[in-house]
Amino acid sequence: MKAKLISYTDVTVPTPPYKKSTKSGIVEDEKGKRQLVGIDDEHYNILKIGMEGRIEKRVTDFGEFNFFVPEIKEKKEVSKVALITGATRGIGKAIALELARKGFNIVINDLELQDAGAEAINEIKKGGREAIFIKADISKYEEVEKMVKEAVEKLGRMDVLINNAGMNIDRLLINMTPEQWQKVIDVDLTGTYNCTKAVLPHMMQQGGGRIVNVSSMSALDGAIGQANYAAAKGGVVSLTKTIAMEYAQYNILCNAIAPGCIRTRMTDAMPPGMLRERVSQIPLGRRGEPEEVAKLVVFLVTEGNYITGQLINISAGEYI
Ligand SMILES: NC(=O)c1ccc[n+]([C@@H]2O[C@H](COP(=O)([O-])OP(=O)(O)OC[C@H]3O[C@@H](n4cnc5c(N)ncnc54)[C@H](O)[C@@H]3O)[C@@H](O)[C@H]2O)c1
């Protein structure tokens, strides 16, 4: 049924289904009858008093409620935006390239651009998508906040966050200094918190978002010499589950992945004997490629609309 918008508010009210709060408004239908309706977050910013639209009845498991859907005269196609941390090389770079192929505009974050990052930006632009580099240390909240503000100013949106940046300082716990412990926790765990906190308001306002946190098999198994790394990546899993629970009501889904042994600078740095020994324990008998991890991330972001709060293992059977 057609309707005209009489008033609206951004104060969210609990409407059926009572698990959700929605922005709301008053509309007048063709017969002059006024009623309270829900308004989707994605429509809120384009509302004007007197605007025409239609009343849409939504039936959910919890009951029925009417929503106002404004009539959008000319719909401009806007590309979604993905921010990938630590994306100038390795797994992050592969994720950035793969998401660009799927039509996302890309923000590449890292400590430095490096040649490989510049190459990625050129490749994305050649493919017809926007790509920008924003330097920020994810362990510092002020830098992350500035990065997200700049990303939204330049690309207009924030739809996907891939918390990929990470580092390790490996040694037995007995030899690990408090500084070495803290540094890895600050980057791998606090960095994930920082970036998530900074993007959430934008995703909530836009009506949804997708977050993928790159954890590790060390989170599941522990790892000798990686007390700081395993604790941080384990924390990332618990953080993922909590984010999933808190923000599902805003259509923000959050999952984690646990890559096994992937061919990047991180595993190139292993002593050759140790790397050979590890690969010999992988049922598929080889390291994974960053592109293989990127395909899983792209699936979660573009297809996984009924998956949240999960840790997905990608290790060729190294963890069963
Ligand atoms: N390679 C593997 O086998 C493997 C396995 C499991 C998990 N992981 C995880 O995958 C992610 C990517 O790892 P990779 O193998 O591509 O490693 P990599 O070292 O090639 O890439 C990590 C990137 O993160 C960036 N980075 C580090 N600290 C940062 C900070 N404070 N702020 C911003 N950027 C920062 C680095 O500069 C680098 O470009 C990491 O979180 C890592 O822990 C990797």
Side-chain angles (χ1 to χ4, degrees), residues 198-216:
V199 302
L200 275 175
H202 299 282
M203 292 182 175
M204 286 162 75
Q205 208 206 8
Q206 282 168 200
R210 299 286 181 270
I211 300 171
V212 178
N213 297 329
V214 182
S215 177
S216 164

Side-chain angles (χ1 to χ4, degrees), residues 88-109:
T88 60
R89 63 171 198 242
I91 296 173
K93 181 182 169 191
I95 295 171
L97 292 174
E98 201 62 32
L99 281 172
R101 279 183 211 113
K102 294 288 173 197
F104 286 85
N105 287 336
I106 301 293
V107 183
I108 289 186
N109 151 266

Side-chain angles (χ1 to χ4, degrees), residues 87-88 93 96-97 100 106-109 113-134:
T88 60
K93 181 182 169 191
L97 292 174
I106 301 293
V107 183
I108 289 186
N109 151 266
L113 178 56
Q114 311 176 63
D115 290 348
E119 273 165 30
I121 290 195
N122 286 339
E123 194 174 327
I124 293 168
K125 285 185 171 168
K126 264 195 228 148
R129 290 290 146 205
E130 290 284 334
I132 57 172
F133 170 73
I134 305 182

Side-chain angles (χ1 to χ4, degrees), residues 86 89-91 110 136-138 164 214-215 229 233 259-260 262 264 267:
R89 63 171 198 242
I91 296 173
D110 215 303
D137 178 343
I138 59 154
N164 165 78
V214 182
S215 177
Y229 184 78
K233 294 294 188 181
I262 310 301
T264 68
T267 52

Side-chain angles (χ1 to χ4, degrees), residues 1 37 40 54-59 65-69:
M1 183 183 281
V37 285
D40 290 320
R54 65 188 158 81
I55 297 170
E56 188 177 279
K57 182 177 281 184
R58 306 243 177 106
V59 183
F65 195 67
N66 286 344
F67 274 73
F68 175 68
V69 180

Side-chain angles (χ1 to χ4, degrees), residues 103-299:
F104 286 85
N105 287 336
I106 301 293
V107 183
I108 289 186
N109 151 266
D110 215 303
L111 294 169
E112 296 297 337
L113 178 56
Q114 311 176 63
D115 290 348
E119 273 165 30
I121 290 195
N122 286 339
E123 194 174 327
I124 293 168
K125 285 185 171 168
K126 264 195 228 148
R129 290 290 146 205
E130 290 284 334
I132 57 172
F133 170 73
I134 305 182
K135 176 177 166 148
D137 178 343
I138 59 154
S139 67
K140 303 199 167 105
Y141 187 70
E142 321 75 62
E143 291 190 26
V144 168
E145 209 178 21
K146 243 175 89 200
M147 163 175 73
V148 172
K149 189 165 175 279
E150 184 182 336
V152 173
E153 273 167 14
K154 290 192 170 152
L155 297 182
R157 301 178 57 84
M158 184 52 64
D159 301 280
V160 169
L161 168 66
I162 312 297
N163 281 309
N164 165 78
M167 56 144 356
N168 56 323
I169 307 173
D170 295 353
R171 60 211 60 203
L172 294 177
L173 188 143
I174 193 125
N175 300 324
M176 191 177 283
T177 65
E179 292 73 26
Q180 289 162 343
W181 164 266
Q182 197 58 49
K183 176 76 186 161
V184 173
I185 298 288
D186 285 351
V187 174
D188 293 10
L189 180 56
T190 309
T192 302
Y193 154 82
N194 286 341
C195 296
T196 305
K197 182 172 162 64
V199 302
L200 275 175
H202 299 282
M203 292 182 175
M204 286 162 75
Q205 208 206 8
Q206 282 168 200
R210 299 286 181 270
I211 300 171
V212 178
N213 297 329
V214 182
S215 177
S216 164
M217 266 184 39
S218 315
L220 301 161
D221 276 349
I224 291 173
Q226 292 197 318
N228 46 5
Y229 184 78
K233 294 294 188 181
V236 164
V237 176
S238 310
L239 179 59
T240 300
K241 293 179 183 184
T242 304
I243 296 165
M245 286 179 190
E246 287 186 6
Y247 300 97
Q249 62 177 314
Y250 297 99
N251 185 30
I252 296 170
L253 310 187
C254 180
N255 291 290
I257 60 166
C261 190
I262 310 301
R263 189 195 306 276
T264 68
R265 204 184 284 189
M266 205 175 252
T267 52
D268 284 345
M270 288 168 79
M274 198 190 267
L275 181 59
R276 261 198 309 279
E277 166 69 17
R278 183 160 175 199
V279 171
S280 73
Q281 288 163 13
I282 301 172
L284 282 187
R286 64 170 176 88
R287 279 194 278 176
E289 299 300 330
E291 293 70 25
E292 291 173 308
V293 179
K295 286 199 160 53
L296 170 63
V297 172
V298 167
F299 170 78

